[in-house]
Amino acid sequence: MVTVQPVLGTTDDTTVSMNNLRTGWDADQPGLTPEKVSAADFGRLFTTSVDGQVYAQPLVVGTTVVVATETNSVYGIHGVTGAIQWHRALGRPFPFDAVPDCKDLKPTVGITSTPVYDPSTGLVHLTTKVNDGPDPTHPHWYLHALDLATGADHPGWPVTIQGAPANNPANSFDPYAAHQRPGLLLLDGEVFAGFGSHCDQGTYVGYVVGVHTTTRAIRMWATEDSTSGAEAGVWMSGGGLVSDGPGRIFFSTGNGISPAPGPGHPAPGHLAESVVRLATAGTGPLTAQDFFSPSDADNLDAIDQDLGSGGPVALPSPPFTSADHPHLMVHIGKDGRVFLLDRDDLGGRAQGPGGTDHVLGVTGPFKGVWGHPAVWGGGGGHVYVAENDGQLRAYAFGLSDLDQPELTSVGASSAGIGHYPGSPVVTSTGTVPGSALVWVICPGGPLDDNSLCTNATLRAYDAEPAGGVLRLRWSAPIGNSTKFSVPAVSGGRVYVGTGDGKLIAFGRPSGSPLTGGFVDLGSVGVGSSGQATATVTASDTVTVTAVTTDPPFSLPTPPQLPTTLPPAEQLAVPVSFTPTGPGGAVGSLGFSVTVGGTAETVGLGVFGNGTKPGFSASPSVVKFDLADALNVGDRMTLGVLITNTGTTADTISTTRVPAAPFHTGDPPQAILLQPGASVAIAVTYAPTAPSPPAGDADRLTITGASGLSVTVPLHGRAVVGDRKISVTPLILDFGQVPVGGSRTLGFHVKNSGTLTLTLTLAKAPTPPFDDPHPLAEGQQLGPQSDLHPAVVFAPTATGPAKGQYTIDSDSKHPKGKQIVNFTGTGVQGGAVPGPAKDSWSFNGSAALSGADLMLTRAAPNETGSALHTVAVPTGKLRAEFTVEISGGTGADGLAFVLLDPTATPQVLGVGGGGLGYSGLPGIAVTLDTHKNTNDPSANFLAIATGGSGDALTYASTATGIPDLRTGTHDVQVTVAHGHLQVDLDHKRVLDTPLTVPTPALVGFTAATAALTDVHLVRNVAITY
């Protein structure tokens, strides 16, 4: 049952985009109405410098603003004065160049995601990527819990993010490849974080990780199961994981293996290019319950128009509701389509009529989005989208004649909002008409060498469109911004973190040495000039040394400078606006001033709208081959925005549509556009044959009743692609496997062509061979993508066995169907060979050292596991081995493990107090030398049945044993008559009734943390 969360007013901003729905709406901001923001004394309150770039949205709790930087610094800054109250450095940041060919974040990666505040504990939770391993390729991710009042870490924190996802236990969390971009979510006493990659580099997979705030137990889920195990990152351009009530999380994923066409639930194992609903209730594994993926998901993947650049937003009810669909969600990705979804039935893939999308509505496409919308409940409900290289666009919510919910584009800003603008936020006094503003951080120039957005401004737009245009109410320069930057609001103030390493606060009365209102020069014809006067008032004794601006603005008669203004004296500066083209232009006046011997620059926002009779098109030329040619059979849709740039209304009377391979659908006819209003036209390039040498070209022409027109050239290039399926190897020999045991081997199915292929036949083997996650017929595989089916041989009788997996696709392989043949032999009983490279898997820090198995060195934060590759029956298992734990400062211990074979021999559990076993399915005999939360002492032996984080769950423990860190110790583990018996140095110490998994992977794990030891195992003898 969904608990709908209403959007209430708040004086605090404790999570990204205001609330867990991620609406970005604060309905209790009477100090930020349009009239008050337009006042001459609304402006900069203070600027406080911090030690790095600020990508995370600031949090505001009471009078404290929490600011986190990419240098792993966190600040508590007074929200009124700007004074730094505390500062914490949380470890050396990760260097950007440790990941080849990735310059998204320079020069370091530290705290990127927005933290979350827990009001029940007074703690701020945040993640850090720390370069504290032996080299930069071995960093760690930590989740911290900082005291809001002091910045101190809460006892027992931070928690190291580690382990393996329950749905893909062979794919242990890789802190090097992973990047944590989405804002954190606090839900049901657990902090959830989403992980993606750095620039799609390396072998990565998307994760959702939960850490319990009391027990610090870790849960982990992967977006791709073991048959793919790669990509589908969760990044959402910094948007937060969404929740609409207990036990429910929503998020989107990026490029990877998309789900096969099918219903949304049960959710499949491949969830790239999807909006996913995850179930989190209880303490069991996280599980995917529902999903939506566009019917053309594989095409989106092929042309890098992934859904995961956008984050979903749950729409509050009321007003966003209908009788049949009370719980709505909106989502937009790179291709600019606005999907309206039902949160209780997301839609699966290709479940609509004729294989279309089973969604409530699709609007657009407009420009793509790197972020997420904002919401206002006034006027029947509005949704605001900050388009990349486009406009701020408003959509109105309503119900169709059939009582179905729909979103309609009703207005847009006249000026563009830049490359990688931030997600907007909305302030209002409830739903009172005329009280709402939409705030957005807008880059003004190209990215600099550190991937920062130059010449950025903070802007406030009226939330209610007038004549199809969102009026720019106010703006101010903020220097360089970070990509996708989101402002925070609280108590009538707006806070912005910048790429220059600053926290800037805006409000009234301004604390700036000069104050003045926003300068709006109105509409001016192209080729003409308009003038206005900017008037600033001194709030202290101020010497003005220079006033500057940039085209299309100028200073026709600059004031006599330098001049000194006493308090309350004014300076008038004439400003001219000379547009060279139609459309809005946002700029600033820079006043260079000296106050009390200190020099600074004060900025004042200016705006003008260039007009020209007729229409404009954005983009002016539509190119479908920006990155590369399309393959014949692929398709790409882009939006063209047609705007009335004149000063009188005009009606689109005729449309000249292009010919194939370009398509526009139903051309717009008889559409009345008010001055500044616009309409979007979707143009699709769908080549069915290769292009001529110069490419395909045509044009789209829009003509108004005035006789004026605009022509948009269209260009595309198509080449003949191919589908190439390769299946390797075609023979798998499982060797000898004991009856009652099992062994798992895998093979690869890859599309090495340039077109998406579809599996038309996928016939899994029959017992004693099995694929627990069989390939699905209809599964699509994008170019250069591959699957990794895992086949299990579990003999029930002695003697040879044969099986096969038959696979076919639409790639027309010259040899037809691909058949993978399996052979194996079932044998009775036997012995596990000692640790060796040909029969054991060594993971993490584990390695052979002569005849010894060294699980860890005496080095911090090492985790190792060594597992025999064949699962053996355990009914009569007997294991003998010698351990030596020494050489360090005393932590954490080692374990002999009996794991469920679904874990695979490559698994690595949680380190530290988890001993490399925590989080893995099965049982362990632990020899522990450090006391953690659940431990009885700092020297004990135990039988563990599971664990989460550094907390293990014990079936039995023994503390009266010899010092495990002194000398060597002989261990014997026996399974007999439903009991697990453990002898230490030839003395029985535990005899516990227990169900032991059978078959089981046998082996050893160990770990260190801040304290260390060498963990050695030798003389291994295991029989069954």
Side-chain angles (χ1 to χ4, degrees):
M1 177 67 90
V2 178
T3 302
V4 177
Q5 299 180 355
V7 178
L8 302 175
T10 176
T11 56
D12 290 337
D13 196 346
T14 62
T15 186
V16 68
S17 296
M18 304 294 177
N19 48 59
N20 286 355
L21 301 182
R22 309 309 182 194
T23 64
W25 177 24
D26 190 333
D28 188 16
Q29 291 298 330
L32 292 175
T33 61
E35 292 75 17
K36 292 181 179 179
V37 171
S38 297
D41 65 346
F42 185 92
R44 189 186 66 184
L45 297 172
F46 64 78
T47 300
T48 300
S49 294
V50 294
D51 69 0
Q53 302 165 358
V54 182
Y55 273 78
Q57 175 200 298
L59 301 185
V60 190
V61 184
T63 59
T64 300
V65 182
V66 179
V67 179
T69 77
E70 291 298 336
T71 60
N72 278 329
S73 280
V74 188
Y75 293 81
I77 297 174
H78 197 283
V80 178
T81 67
I84 296 176
Q85 299 170 311
W86 52 262
H87 169 222
R88 285 290 313 284
L90 299 178
R92 185 170 55 172
F94 178 74
F96 87 96
D97 53 3
V99 178
D101 302 319
C102 183
K103 299 179 181 179
D104 267 0
L105 287 170
K106 291 176 61 178
T108 59
V109 178
I111 305 167
T112 307
S113 74
T114 298
V116 65
Y117 173 70
D118 185 349
S120 70
T121 61
L123 299 176
V124 177
H125 295 278
L126 55 89
T127 58
T128 57
K129 187 164 190 173
V130 181
N131 180 23
D132 59 354
D135 57 62
T137 64
H138 294 85
H140 292 88
W141 276 102
Y142 297 100
L143 178 67
H144 291 259
L146 305 185
D147 188 306
L148 176 69
T150 65
D153 260 310
H154 194 62
W157 297 81
V159 172
T160 304
I161 305 299
Q162 55 185 332
N167 64 324
N168 190 353
N171 202 336
S172 296
F173 180 78
D174 181 0
Y176 167 70
H179 187 40
Q180 207 278 292
R181 190 69 181 89
L184 301 183
L185 169 70
L186 176 65
L187 179 68
D188 303 331
E190 199 166 358
V191 177
F192 291 94
F195 287 84
S197 71
H198 294 278
C199 303
D200 289 333
Q201 296 297 311
T203 302
Y204 71 93
V205 70
Y207 297 101
V208 174
V209 178
V211 180
H212 198 278
T213 57
T214 302
T215 66
R216 301 187 297 281
I218 296 176
R219 295 193 289 172
M220 189 177 297
W221 176 89
T223 56
E224 299 276 3
D225 67 17
S226 58
T227 56
S228 168
E231 300 188 345
V234 182
W235 67 289
M236 304 191 300
S237 302
L241 301 176
V242 174
S243 178
D244 62 359
R248 289 162 57 107
I249 292 179
F250 299 82
F251 54 89
S252 64
T253 62
N255 295 327
I257 304 297
S258 298
H265 38 82
H270 305 303
L271 285 169
E273 305 287 6
S274 298
V275 176
V276 182
R277 187 177 83 230
L278 203 64
T280 66
T283 59
L286 305 174
T287 57
Q289 296 292 305
D290 196 5
F291 80 97
F292 162 70
S293 185
S295 56
D296 61 346
D298 296 285
N299 186 62
L300 295 179
D301 185 76
I303 60 177
D304 193 29
Q305 293 288 291
D306 55 295
L307 202 68
S309 69
V313 172
L315 299 176
S317 171
F320 299 91
T321 189
S322 74
D324 294 333
H325 305 283
H327 307 134
L328 303 178
M329 173 167 278
V330 63
H331 184 84
I332 315 166
K334 286 184 182 179
D335 77 339
R337 286 178 292 177
V338 183
F339 292 102
L340 188 60
L341 308 175
D342 186 326
R343 302 200 302 267
D344 301 322
D345 181 16
L346 290 175
R349 182 177 177 195
Q351 298 302 288
T356 58
D357 295 321
H358 175 56
V359 297
L360 301 181
V362 181
T363 308
F366 296 95
K367 294 292 184 72
V369 170
W370 278 251
H372 57 280
V375 173
W376 180 47
H382 286 79
V383 172
Y384 304 92
V385 175
E387 301 170 341
N388 186 46
D389 294 319
Q391 274 83 17
L392 177 68
R393 184 169 301 280
Y395 298 83
F397 176 77
L399 298 177
S400 70
D401 294 338
L402 299 177
D403 201 35
Q404 293 298 298
E406 59 184 9
L407 291 172
T408 304
S409 174
V410 292
S413 62
S414 59
I417 57 174
H419 187 59
Y420 294 145
S423 298
V425 299
V426 177
T427 57
S428 72
T429 305
T431 58
V432 174
S435 71
L437 289 173
V438 185
W439 301 81
V440 63
I441 295 173
C442 304
L447 297 181
D448 69 7
D449 290 341
N450 285 327
S451 296
L452 298 177
C453 304
T454 56
N455 300 323
T457 55
L458 172 66
R459 302 184 195 174
Y461 288 88
D462 285 357
E464 297 166 87
V469 178
L470 292 172
R471 175 190 174 187
L472 179 62
R473 173 69 59 168
W474 176 89
S475 77
I478 59 171
N480 288 350
S481 70
T482 55
K483 293 179 289 187
F484 330 130
S485 183
V486 181
V489 300
S490 180
R493 302 178 184 90
V494 183
Y495 300 92
V496 176
T498 75
D500 301 318
K502 296 180 176 66
L503 174 70
I504 307 177
F506 296 92
R508 63 185 302 217
S510 173
S512 174
L514 291 178
T515 62
F518 175 68
V519 181
D520 187 344
L521 288 99
S523 295
V524 177
V526 172
S528 301
S529 293
Q531 290 194 354
T533 299
T535 301
V536 293
T537 303
S539 54
D540 200 343
T541 300
V542 180
T543 299
V544 182
T545 59
V547 183
T548 59
T549 192
D550 295 314
F553 303 98
S554 61
L555 306 176
T557 54
Q560 190 96 22
L561 299 175
T563 183
T564 299
L565 306 176
E569 186 165 326
Q570 294 184 327
L571 176 67
V573 180
V575 183
S576 180
F577 171 52
T578 308
T580 57
V586 180
S588 64
L589 298 178
F591 291 82
S592 299
V593 301
T594 301
V595 183
T598 301
E600 61 177 294
T601 299
V602 176
L604 204 65
V606 294
F607 172 77
N609 182 52
T611 63
K612 182 179 181 180
F615 303 97
S616 70
S618 177
S620 58
V621 178
V622 178
K623 297 181 179 181
F624 292 91
D625 54 355
L626 293 176
D628 203 351
L630 263 68
N631 290 302
V632 171
D634 280 350
R635 57 193 293 122
M636 177 183 285
T637 300
L638 298 174
V640 181
L641 196 69
I642 304 298
T643 302
N644 177 1
T645 57
T647 57
T648 59
D650 202 350
T651 300
I652 296 177
S653 58
T654 59
T655 301
R656 189 271 181 194
V657 298
F662 302 98
H663 308 275
T664 58
D666 294 330
Q669 301 284 354
I671 295 178
L672 177 66
L673 291 181
Q674 296 293 335
S678 58
V679 63
I681 301 175
V683 183
T684 300
Y685 178 51
T688 57
S691 301
D696 295 311
D698 208 327
R699 68 188 187 278
L700 168 71
T701 301
I702 302 294
T703 303
S706 62
L708 300 172
S709 65
V710 63
T711 295
V712 185
L714 311 175
H715 296 283
R717 188 165 64 90
V719 297
V720 176
D722 58 356
R723 303 173 178 88
K724 291 183 180 180
I725 190 171
S726 61
V727 181
T728 56
L730 293 176
I731 297 175
L732 286 178
D733 184 4
F734 289 79
Q736 293 187 346
V737 176
V739 173
S742 67
R743 187 180 186 189
T744 302
L745 294 176
F747 61 95
H748 295 263
V749 180
K750 183 175 182 178
N751 177 10
S752 56
T754 59
L755 296 178
T756 298
L757 66 79
T758 302
L759 298 183
T760 57
L761 176 65
K763 186 176 181 180
T766 57
F769 299 94
D770 181 45
D771 181 358
H773 304 285
L775 298 174
E777 293 180 1
Q779 174 70 57
Q780 294 181 313
L781 204 55
Q784 306 305 313
S785 297
D786 57 356
L787 298 169
H788 314 289
V791 177
V792 179
F793 175 44
T796 57
T798 59
K802 294 183 179 180
Q804 63 182 30
Y805 214 128
T806 305
I807 299 170
D808 203 357
S809 72
D810 59 357
S811 67
K812 298 180 180 179
H813 193 281
K815 293 184 179 181
K817 299 176 181 177
Q818 299 291 285
I819 298 175
V820 184
N821 290 294
F822 311 128
T823 59
T825 303
V827 297
Q828 288 291 354
V832 174
K837 291 182 179 180
D838 61 346
S839 56
W840 285 60
S841 176
F842 302 95
N843 312 303
S845 58
L848 292 174
S849 178
D852 295 340
L853 169 60
M854 179 183 290
L855 293 163
T856 75
R857 302 169 301 168
N861 299 309
E862 289 203 343
T863 306
S865 71
L867 295 166
H868 181 42
T869 57
V870 176
V872 300
T874 60
K876 298 181 180 179
L877 185 135
R878 179 186 178 96
E880 297 178 349
F881 51 91
T882 301
V883 301
E884 183 177 352
I885 305 174
S886 63
T889 51
D892 269 272
L894 63 80
F896 170 71
V897 296
L898 296 161
L899 301 181
D900 188 294
T902 57
T904 78
Q906 292 76 38
V907 295
L908 194 64
V910 175
L915 306 186
Y917 154 73
S918 179
L920 303 181
I923 63 175
V925 175
T926 66
L927 293 86
D928 203 316
T929 60
H930 182 74
K931 188 179 187 307
N932 288 289
T933 304
N934 284 10
D935 297 345
S937 77
N939 186 76
F940 69 101
L941 187 146
I943 296 174
T945 57
S948 182
D950 60 6
L952 300 184
T953 302
Y954 299 115
S956 56
T957 60
T959 55
I961 60 172
D963 184 357
L964 295 175
R965 299 187 65 244
T966 300
T968 62
H969 299 277
D970 296 326
V971 182
Q972 179 179 301
V973 180
T974 306
V975 180
H977 310 295
H979 284 233
L980 187 64
Q981 302 167 342
V982 184
D983 293 10
L984 180 66
D985 295 330
H986 312 290
K987 178 181 178 180
R988 179 68 46 85
V989 292
L990 291 174
D991 188 344
T992 304
L994 198 66
T995 300
V996 178
T998 189
L1001 292 170
V1002 297
F1004 301 90
T1005 69
T1008 65
L1011 302 179
T1012 69
D1013 263 329
V1014 177
H1015 294 88
L1016 291 174
V1017 179
R1018 59 174 67 100
N1019 303 327
V1020 177
I1022 304 173
T1023 59
Y1024 51 89

